[in-house]
Amino acid sequence: VNSVDKLKNRRRALDTTHLTTQLDAIFEPVAGQTRLSNLVCSKDGVAGLGPLTDHGTKKLQGWNLDHYRTTNNLGKGGLFWRFRSYCLYNMGLVDQSTIWEQPKVVFSVSSSNSQLDNFDLSQHQRALQSRFHEQKVQIESHLLQDMSLTDQIELAMSCTILVTVCGGATATAMFLPHGASLIVFYNEIGGGMGNMEMNSPARRDWDVLNNLSYLRVHWLPTATMDTDQDMSAFLDLMSHEVGFHQNRKKDH
């Protein structure tokens, strides 16, 4: 068998190989050219969200008002959930039950390296502990950046409510259990364009977080977060969410 026939046989063998994705995928390295096989060979590989992107093709992250005119992930909550499950499976992690013995509230401290979003939540944690001191509510705080990826995901899966400031650590919220609550503090005047301050809301990754349809997502402003009025609103919101999850357990 000559070298040309060997190459043809190899390509026919590769054509019978299936991509290890959950859904059908089309890979076209050069538009308009016929693919020789379904297999993509590379030295390195990475798992991605595919059509699910928090920024879209124009990188609409949420820094200025124009970024809120377009949504890339509307109606894609199911895909996010399947991607979450696929990641857990690949990492050998077992998804935990969503019916908690007692509500568990986790504060993510220093969730952003940016000074614009690095707010102290210790006062909120103390106020919450005072509110629930006679109830069976577990309240913890963690610095996620000091934890391994596996530990971060396992912590997220054990949460009933995650409280965080808008920033890089909110990506861990994808691994919260079905029905969990996510409280996100955002800088309502921290937006900008390039190096220019726009004094617009900086709800970064809003398009992803708002479309994690398996979660209960709430946004709270940071400018007035320590005022009596906002602290009261935060505690009332947390009481509502804790009550919701406690009643949810009773229903099961």
Side-chain angles (χ1 to χ4, degrees):
V1 180
N2 59 37
S3 58
V4 175
D5 290 333
K6 286 182 178 179
L7 180 59
K8 289 181 179 179
N9 291 335
R10 186 182 305 169
R11 287 174 178 169
R12 277 194 292 270
L14 292 176
D15 283 338
T16 63
T17 304
H18 298 288
L19 294 172
T20 57
T21 57
Q22 289 181 304
L23 304 176
D24 290 338
I26 297 177
F27 179 74
E28 278 194 3
V30 180
Q33 288 191 8
T34 303
R35 288 180 293 117
L36 298 179
S37 78
N38 292 325
L39 191 65
V40 179
C41 299
S42 176
K43 178 181 177 181
D44 301 304
V46 62
L49 295 176
L52 301 166
T53 169
D54 53 353
H55 303 160
T57 57
K58 297 183 180 180
K59 297 185 178 181
L60 306 177
Q61 188 173 9
W63 282 111
N64 61 71
L65 295 178
D66 286 341
H67 291 185
Y68 303 104
R69 301 181 187 278
T70 304
T71 176
N72 300 286
N73 297 307
L74 183 64
K76 295 180 180 177
L79 288 177
F80 275 114
W81 179 258
R82 288 195 294 272
F83 179 77
R84 170 193 181 276
S85 301
Y86 184 71
C87 289
L88 295 180
Y89 175 79
N90 273 356
M91 295 182 69
L93 299 176
V94 179
D95 201 358
Q96 300 179 18
S97 172
T98 58
I99 306 302
W100 302 270
E101 290 300 319
Q102 65 179 20
K104 178 178 178 179
V105 179
V106 170
F107 285 81
S108 173
V109 299
S110 300
S111 57
S112 175
N113 291 326
S114 170
Q115 293 301 315
L116 292 173
D117 300 311
N118 197 358
F119 295 92
D120 184 14
L121 295 175
S122 59
Q123 183 178 348
H124 291 72
Q125 182 176 349
R126 289 193 298 270
L128 194 64
Q129 288 170 332
S130 178
R131 169 72 67 95
F132 292 113
H133 72 283
E134 294 182 352
Q135 299 185 40
K136 293 183 178 179
V137 178
Q138 187 176 350
I139 302 175
E140 306 174 358
S141 62
H142 295 272
L143 182 60
L144 297 185
Q145 64 183 9
D146 287 347
M147 301 172 65
S148 68
L149 176 60
T150 299
D151 288 342
Q152 288 186 46
I153 293 175
E154 289 181 335
L155 175 65
M157 288 193 297
S158 71
C159 284
T160 313
I161 304 173
L162 175 63
V163 183
T164 182
V165 176
C166 186
T170 53
T172 310
M174 176 179 288
F175 296 98
L176 289 169
H178 198 287
S181 300
L182 173 63
I183 313 297
V184 186
F185 283 94
Y186 72 97
N187 189 336
E188 67 270 45
I189 57 172
M193 183 178 295
N195 294 323
M196 183 183 301
E197 294 182 358
M198 303 293 291
N199 292 324
S200 57
R203 287 188 287 264
R204 287 182 290 159
D205 299 330
W206 69 278
D207 194 26
V208 167
L209 300 181
N210 280 357
N211 287 296
L212 294 177
S213 56
Y214 52 92
L215 302 181
R216 298 165 59 87
V217 182
H218 304 273
W219 297 82
L220 298 175
T222 57
T224 54
M225 63 188 296
D226 293 326
T227 64
D228 291 342
Q229 183 177 6
D230 276 31
M231 183 63 74
S232 177
F234 168 75
L235 293 175
D236 288 345
L237 173 61
M238 294 298 291
S239 295
H240 178 271
E241 292 301 296
V242 168
F244 169 83
H245 292 294
Q246 288 174 331
N247 291 331
R248 185 173 175 224
K249 178 188 175 183
K250 293 178 183 177
D251 292 339
H252 287 77

